[in-house]
Amino acid sequence: AVESRERLLADVRREAARLGNVPVAIVGDLNTTAASSRELREYTERYGWSDAAVLGAGRCDGTPEPTFFGKSKDGTRIDYIFLNNVAACGFVDCEVIDAGVPGHREVSVFLALERFEQVCHRFHVPKEIPTAGWGDVSDKTANLMAEDYLRRSKFHIAIAMGAVDDAWHAFCAVAEKYLLVRAADNKIRIE
């Protein structure tokens, strides 16, 4: 049983590593202690996983609470939540709660999920902008048109929020629109 559990813990860790740079939590009633399991020790010592109960205890007195009270009144800790490096970045707290299960206490971890948020942008190849037929447009008219497009875009909001990427994307969209309108019509109108 011990060898099977150690193999299973190693297999789960390897499968979690194959997921890549994403948050992973390995949770279980493992029926063993870190002192008794070479694989559990390697999770933290060799592979850089964090024991959520140890992280939570570090905020208090430094000792994780026991989770199982069989024959021992002091209890032991056999229930775990391990967090990989990415998941550990979202760690807020860990609690051991008496949920009414005889002999066991529940382990709960609180993660700030917004820390894992990713923003993806879709890029497109710009349209060809014909410049051969551009008429004479005064600098004043061209500037008014460009300012109008910028004012109606999200450019200024992004700048105010310090969102440089969003500001750049808004600026590029405005520039493309301005150039396409100017190329298509030599009688520029401010909309």
Side-chain angles (χ1 to χ4, degrees):
V2 171
E3 287 178 25
S4 294
R5 180 177 47 240
E6 292 293 297
R7 247 188 338 271
L8 176 62
L9 288 169
D11 289 346
V12 168
R13 179 186 39 75
R14 279 192 292 274
E15 284 301 313
R18 287 186 192 156
L19 295 173
N21 194 28
V22 297
V24 177
I26 296 175
V27 180
D29 175 353
L30 304 178
N31 289 325
T32 189
T33 64
S36 303
S37 170
R38 175 188 47 78
E39 188 60 36
L40 287 185
R41 285 191 307 279
E42 287 191 352
Y43 265 57
T44 56
E45 294 169 9
R46 183 173 177 191
Y47 297 107
W49 288 72
S50 297
D51 181 338
V54 171
L55 290 176
R59 297 168 48 129
C60 301
D61 68 2
T63 306
E65 294 181 49
T67 61
F68 179 71
F69 298 87
K71 298 176 183 172
S72 168
K73 152 180 120 163
D74 294 332
T76 188
R77 194 163 72 96
I78 62 172
D79 302 283
Y80 295 89
I81 299 176
F82 287 99
L83 306 172
N84 71 352
N85 292 354
V86 180
C89 290
F91 178 83
V92 175
D93 200 6
C94 183
E95 293 180 352
V96 176
I97 303 163
D98 186 354
V101 177
H104 276 276
R105 289 196 178 155
E106 177 183 300
V107 181
S108 296
V109 67
F110 300 91
L111 302 174
L113 298 180
E114 66 275 3
R115 294 180 188 167
F116 309 128
E117 180 179 338
Q118 296 181 3
V119 177
C120 299
H121 296 282
R122 189 180 88 196
F123 295 94
H124 68 278
V125 177
K127 299 174 186 166
E128 183 178 342
I129 300 171
T131 58
W134 282 27
D136 289 330
V137 175
S138 73
D139 287 343
K140 181 179 179 184
T141 301
N143 286 341
L144 286 172
M145 185 173 119
E147 288 172 11
D148 182 56
Y149 285 161
L150 273 176
R151 187 179 61 254
R152 289 189 287 145
S153 74
K154 294 181 180 178
F155 176 77
H156 294 294
I157 295 169
I159 291 291
M161 294 177 61
V164 176
D165 287 342
D166 292 340
W168 175 249
H169 294 295
F171 176 79
C172 289
V174 166
E176 185 176 39
K177 180 177 180 181
Y178 166 81
L179 292 172
L180 287 169
V181 168
R182 183 162 180 188
D185 185 359
N186 58 13
K187 294 180 181 88
I188 303 290
R189 294 178 302 280
I190 305 298
E191 298 173 357

